[in-house]
Amino acid sequence: MFTLLCICATLVTSLYGVSPETISYTDVLLTAHSTQERTRHKDFYYATIKELARSINPDQLPQLGEYLQDEDVPVTNLLQVNADPGNETEKVPSDLCSNHTGLILTQAAAGDDWAMAMLDAAAKPDSNIMGGQLMWVGSYRECIKTRAKVYPGLQNETEAEQLFEGQYCMAFLPLTPGPVQPQAFGASTPGIKIGVCFPSSCSGADVTALLNAALETTNITFRVAASTCQEKKQEYTDTAIIVLLVLSLFVAVMLMATMYDIMWVQMPKWEKEKQRSAEDVKSTVNIKDVSQSTEQTPLLMDKDAARVSRSTGVAPQMLLSFSVYSNTVKLLSVTQPPGSISCIHGIRFFSMTWVILGHSLAFAMSAAQNMADYSARATKHWTFQAISNATVSVDSFFTLSGLLVSYLVLKELSRNNGKINWLMFFFHRFWRLTPVYMLVIMVYVPLFRYWGEGPFWPQGGIEPTNCEYWWTNLLYINNLVNTDKMCMGWSWYLANDMQFYILSPLIFMPFFYSWKAGTASALTFLLTTFIASGVISKENAFPASMMSNPLKTMDFMLKYYMKPYTRIGPYIVGLWVGYLLYKTDCKYKMSKTVTLLGWAIATAVALAVLYGLYDDANGHHLTVDAAAFYNAVHRTAWGACVAWVVFACATGNGGFVNTLLSWRAIIPLSRLTYTGYLVHPIVMYVYYFGREQLYVFSTVDVIWTFFGNLVAAYIIAYVTSLAFEAPMMGLEKILLKRKKS
């Protein structure tokens, strides 16, 4: 970019020789670079600069055009005077922007520090271009802290006046022909991104026009498609103000609820504990330790406290639903009710960790200066396959979801002689997911733009359409309708999970009455998803892995990856195994031979799914038919492996695996899985968008970044759970008198 500015400077300084006695800004530009001329005409020069720099409609551009025509230099080469105003790449820059930009060049030639700083802040071509380093950032901080100052008189006699500030802009030069609308970050369109420092009086269109004017004078065929400038201060929109007020209300209610809980509920209980301990240390305290409480344990444990709790009424109980203290106690509880499948907590946590690991690399790739080089090296290591194939981590969640639905609902049907409240069956799931989901969207979309700054920061918001189609998220159809404009791109999983939940009675109800009917229903669904996945993959010639052919990534995501009819396989397997656990009551004895054989098969299949694409990732691509077969069955196969782990652990055949997955310390982290999934991409957006320089891939950096993202995501997930998730679950229990099954 510095080269482009130097071209502009060369054009200007080549025009030296026009008499400075006129009041033309053109003349000032032409004589200012000469120290002698500045000294000889200093009073005139500074007065003219002051006047013209503040002028909104100066007459200098026509005079410059006349001069250039006299010199046989086409006007359009410099300022695009005859350009099409409807084309952003050909727009004439505003007069004020042109004047200020010219001032930078002349003052830099004169050696002024602020002008030199603005040129210095512009990006220069970086190294590793052949390795894919086509984003040249420059110095964002140096640019925005620069102040353009001129002296009306002698420098030591007058006080400097500030004309404008430095404004950081990112220009995009596409390397492919045709109209291009590059994304603000991680653009899929190949091109060069260059950071430049322009006056704050310039708009993005002005910057584009000036840069293209400079490029017109060279043999370079590339043109700037668009320029995005970073505003130093953004005014809060009406929507943002409303959201802040709503958040303030939530905070106020949480504070009141916590104070009420501690002063009127917990302190009397603590006082009684203290009195009883003083009376008889050896006696058994009737009030259980809070560390042994569960989500089903009442807030007040002893009989007296229970009477107080019942007498408080609905309104105080609703207020207590927002108590930070009580909700934290429930969240940190490590005990579980009888009959729980404890290994599920470990699978949830490690699967969420896996998702964050995969996203940590995926999100960083578009902001890394050595992405191409690193990915080429990484794919040669077989261990990297666990990251490149991390998408099956989501299939673990589908498997667990189906398993729990089948297992818990079949137990309830058995207790109630085959009866179930279907309205509550569907409403509870909707209420469990939706309030916190919509509240996160409410906070994230209007406020994200105010959470950071930097050369990559999307000041217009991270969502392309500002979630114009949010209602598709509310109805859980965002993976089917307007998928290319999806709000919160990672929410496709929630849509699939809800759709699978709605379809689940078609499988677990036949299982309740007949294992043959249930098996037939499950096999029908599995066969359908196998055929749909295989046909879609073959018809579109999709690779077995998204990393095998990046050009097909978007089609792969929209047509295959997000669709319910290609992802339901693991959920069906989960429903099936949930039925087996229900029928066996989690008490199924297997011989050591059968147990070892089961673990061996599950391990072999899981390793084949994860590491079987090593050759494909290193240039030996699968045929279209082989890739179609892999895409048709590998997710269901992975779900079967996860289902085996749950079945073996739940029936006492898990050994040390069950010991690890059932570790009590994991339980609180497992409870944060849902909110963690909702917020972890937002945490990564803030980190990667807020950087002032490009990310550099290395083994140490990747590991460090992953752990940072993991910890930050769970901290934000904890806050989100206390503010949105836990209160809504508490309100459901109070208002609907819902009991835990």
Side-chain angles (χ1 to χ4, degrees):
M1 204 64 257
F2 183 71
T3 305
L4 295 180
L5 292 175
C6 288
I7 293 172
C8 293
T10 303
L11 288 173
V12 172
T13 55
S14 66
L15 303 179
Y16 172 73
V18 177
S19 171
E21 302 302 327
T22 64
I23 58 170
S24 168
Y25 185 44
T26 303
D27 301 333
V28 175
L29 293 178
L30 301 182
T31 61
H33 75 285
S34 169
T35 303
Q36 277 188 329
E37 291 296 304
R38 287 183 61 197
T39 303
R40 189 159 60 91
H41 304 285
K42 56 182 180 296
D43 294 336
F44 162 80
Y45 169 70
Y46 288 119
T48 307
I49 285 290
K50 178 180 177 181
E51 176 185 349
L52 296 177
R54 293 177 175 177
S55 175
I56 297 178
N57 296 303
D59 61 350
Q60 285 69 37
L61 294 179
Q63 295 182 36
L64 176 59
E66 293 172 4
Y67 175 80
L68 293 175
Q69 288 177 344
D70 292 339
E71 296 293 319
D72 295 324
V73 179
V75 176
T76 54
N77 279 4
L78 182 61
L79 294 176
Q80 302 279 343
V81 173
N82 298 321
D84 175 11
N87 187 340
E88 182 176 344
T89 64
E90 298 183 359
K91 284 183 179 178
V92 178
S94 68
D95 294 341
L96 187 59
C97 172
S98 299
N99 292 345
H100 285 170
T101 303
L103 180 62
I104 296 173
L105 301 175
T106 57
Q107 294 299 92
D112 279 9
D113 290 342
W114 67 263
M116 294 297 293
M118 292 189 71
L119 294 181
D120 182 52
K124 293 83 178 173
D126 210 338
S127 58
N128 196 34
I129 294 176
M130 296 185 67
Q133 167 50 356
L134 297 178
M135 186 184 296
W136 308 328
V137 181
S139 178
Y140 170 81
R141 192 63 55 185
E142 182 180 24
C143 177
I144 65 171
K145 73 178 183 180
T146 302
R147 304 291 184 269
K149 298 179 179 179
V150 297
Y151 293 87
L154 292 176
Q155 184 168 343
N156 58 354
E157 295 178 358
T158 57
E159 184 178 350
E161 294 191 16
Q162 179 175 310
L163 299 179
F164 55 84
E165 300 176 349
Q167 176 180 234
Y168 183 91
C169 303
M170 183 73 78
F172 181 78
L173 286 79
L175 300 179
T176 54
V180 178
Q181 295 297 329
Q183 300 173 10
F185 188 74
S188 57
T189 303
I192 302 173
K193 287 190 173 182
I194 309 175
V196 292
C197 189
F198 270 79
S200 55
S201 56
C202 296
S203 66
D206 291 335
V207 173
T208 299
L210 285 170
L211 294 179
N212 282 331
L215 289 171
E216 282 283 350
T217 65
T218 70
N219 294 325
I220 301 175
T221 58
F222 300 129
R223 293 295 179 268
V224 177
S227 300
T228 304
C229 295
Q230 297 288 332
E231 298 179 11
K232 290 188 178 179
K233 184 179 180 181
Q234 295 192 93
E235 298 295 332
Y236 282 93
T237 63
D238 293 340
T239 303
I241 293 174
I242 293 173
V243 171
L244 289 173
L245 291 175
V246 172
L247 285 178
S248 300
L249 179 62
F250 268 88
V251 171
V253 173
M254 291 169 66
L255 289 174
M256 288 190 296
T258 305
M259 293 176 61
Y260 177 83
D261 186 18
I262 293 176
M263 296 179 64
W264 295 95
V265 179
Q266 303 301 331
M267 289 184 66
K269 183 169 61 175
W270 297 336
E271 186 64 29
K272 287 185 178 181
E273 287 183 351
K274 183 177 179 181
Q275 292 175 359
R276 292 180 182 180
S277 297
E279 292 173 1
D280 187 1
V281 177
K282 296 182 179 180
S283 64
T284 301
V285 181
N286 293 327
I287 303 177
K288 296 181 181 179
D289 187 270
V290 294
S291 65
Q292 296 179 338
S293 64
T294 68
E295 294 183 6
Q296 293 78 42
T297 307
L299 292 173
L300 307 178
M301 304 298 181
D302 62 4
K303 295 180 180 180
D304 294 334
R307 284 195 293 271
V308 173
S309 178
R310 287 193 295 269
S311 66
T312 54
V314 174
Q317 292 181 51
M318 292 176 63
L319 180 62
L320 286 174
S321 297
F322 290 84
S323 170
V324 174
Y325 174 82
S326 292
N327 287 333
T328 299
V329 168
K330 295 176 185 178
L331 178 66
L332 298 180
S333 170
V334 295
T335 59
Q336 301 177 82
S340 298
I341 306 175
S342 57
C343 66
I344 285 179
H345 292 291
I347 298 176
R348 276 179 182 161
F349 171 68
F350 288 120
S351 296
M352 189 67 245
T353 300
W354 198 7
V355 169
I356 293 176
L357 173 61
H359 282 169
S360 292
L361 270 77
F363 282 42
M365 282 185 174
S366 296
Q369 67 179 26
N370 61 336
M371 180 269 293
D373 176 64
Y374 178 80
S375 61
R377 287 186 289 111
T379 53
K380 294 186 182 300
H381 296 279
W382 65 271
T383 53
F384 188 74
Q385 294 300 302
I387 298 177
S388 61
N389 289 327
T391 58
V392 294
S393 58
V394 180
D395 296 293
S396 299
F397 288 120
F398 285 142
T399 304
L400 295 181
S401 183
L403 187 149
L404 287 174
V405 167
S406 178
Y407 176 68
L408 295 176
V409 175
L410 288 174
K411 287 176 65 176
E412 185 174 347
L413 285 169
S414 180
R415 287 195 302 267
N416 298 326
N417 298 319
K419 296 180 181 179
I420 188 173
N421 186 333
W422 289 108
L423 178 62
M424 287 304 303
F425 173 79
F426 292 110
F427 176 80
H428 171 64
R429 188 64 175 178
F430 181 83
W431 186 262
R432 169 71 181 86
L433 299 181
T434 308
V436 60
Y437 180 21
M438 292 295 108
L439 287 168
V440 167
I441 292 179
M442 177 197 75
V443 174
Y444 153 66
V445 177
L447 298 183
F448 181 86
R449 66 187 68 183
Y450 308 106
W451 292 347
E453 62 171 333
F456 314 115
W457 192 258
Q459 293 189 325
I462 192 69
E463 296 294 334
T465 62
N466 283 320
C467 287
E468 177 184 359
Y469 298 99
W470 61 270
W471 54 271
T472 62
N473 297 69
L474 177 64
L475 299 178
Y476 295 94
I477 57 174
N478 49 306
N479 62 332
L480 299 172
V481 179
N482 295 317
T483 53
D484 58 330
K485 301 175 182 178
M486 185 185 303
C487 175
M488 287 176 59
W490 59 100
S491 64
W492 66 268
Y493 164 79
L494 302 178
N496 277 277
D497 188 73
M498 179 62 78
Q499 291 158 9
F500 299 161
Y501 186 85
I502 293 173
L503 294 174
S504 63
L506 299 178
I507 297 176
F508 68 68
M509 286 305 296
F511 266 127
F512 180 73
Y513 293 106
S514 168
W515 72 268
K516 292 182 179 180
T519 300
S521 177
L523 288 175
T524 301
F525 273 94
L526 283 178
L527 184 61
T528 301
T529 190
F530 288 160
I531 294 174
S533 301
V535 169
I536 291 173
S537 180
K538 180 175 174 59
E539 288 297 316
N540 293 277
F542 286 147
S545 171
M546 284 186 287
M547 295 190 67
S548 299
N549 189 350
L551 296 178
K552 286 184 173 289
T553 296
M554 188 55 66
D555 273 351
F556 186 90
M557 293 287 293
L558 297 179
K559 296 180 180 179
Y560 167 81
Y561 189 79
M562 299 178 179
K563 299 305 181 184
Y565 38 80
T566 62
R567 301 304 298 266
I568 198 173
Y571 196 91
I572 301 301
V573 173
L575 289 169
W576 207 331
V577 176
Y579 165 73
L580 294 178
L581 290 174
Y582 156 73
K583 291 296 290 184
T584 60
D585 196 24
C586 296
K587 299 173 183 177
Y588 186 78
K589 288 296 181 180
M590 291 184 284
S591 66
K592 289 186 177 180
T593 302
V594 174
T595 301
L596 290 174
L597 181 62
W599 279 106
I601 293 174
T603 302
V605 172
L607 291 176
V609 170
L610 284 183
Y611 300 102
L613 295 181
Y614 176 77
D615 288 338
D616 181 77
N618 285 276
H620 304 287
H621 300 306
L622 297 178
T623 64
V624 172
D625 290 336
F629 175 77
Y630 181 85
N631 287 331
V633 303
H634 82 283
R635 298 188 182 280
T636 303
W638 178 264
C641 297
V642 174
W644 162 261
V645 173
V646 177
F647 183 82
C649 292
T651 56
N653 299 285
F656 73 91
V657 176
N658 183 52
T659 302
L660 173 63
L661 296 178
S662 301
W663 187 30
R664 288 156 62 98
I666 293 178
I667 296 175
L669 298 173
S670 171
R671 294 194 179 110
L672 292 174
T673 298
Y674 178 48
T675 52
Y677 183 83
L678 286 176
V679 304
H680 82 275
I682 303 174
V683 171
M684 294 183 193
Y685 280 149
V686 172
Y687 172 66
Y688 292 119
F689 279 97
R691 294 179 62 88
E692 292 190 11
Q693 292 296 328
L694 293 171
Y695 185 82
V696 179
F697 277 118
S698 71
T699 301
V700 173
D701 284 317
V702 168
I703 294 174
W704 198 257
T705 302
F706 157 63
F707 279 110
N709 287 336
L710 180 67
V711 173
Y714 269 90
I715 291 174
I716 302 301
Y718 167 72
V719 174
T720 305
S721 179
L722 291 184
F724 301 148
E725 183 183 34
M728 297 305 159
M729 294 174 65
L731 290 175
E732 182 198 14
K733 292 180 184 179
I734 295 168
L735 297 177
L736 301 180
K737 308 297 182 182
R738 186 175 179 274
K739 298 180 180 180
K740 294 288 291 185
S741 59

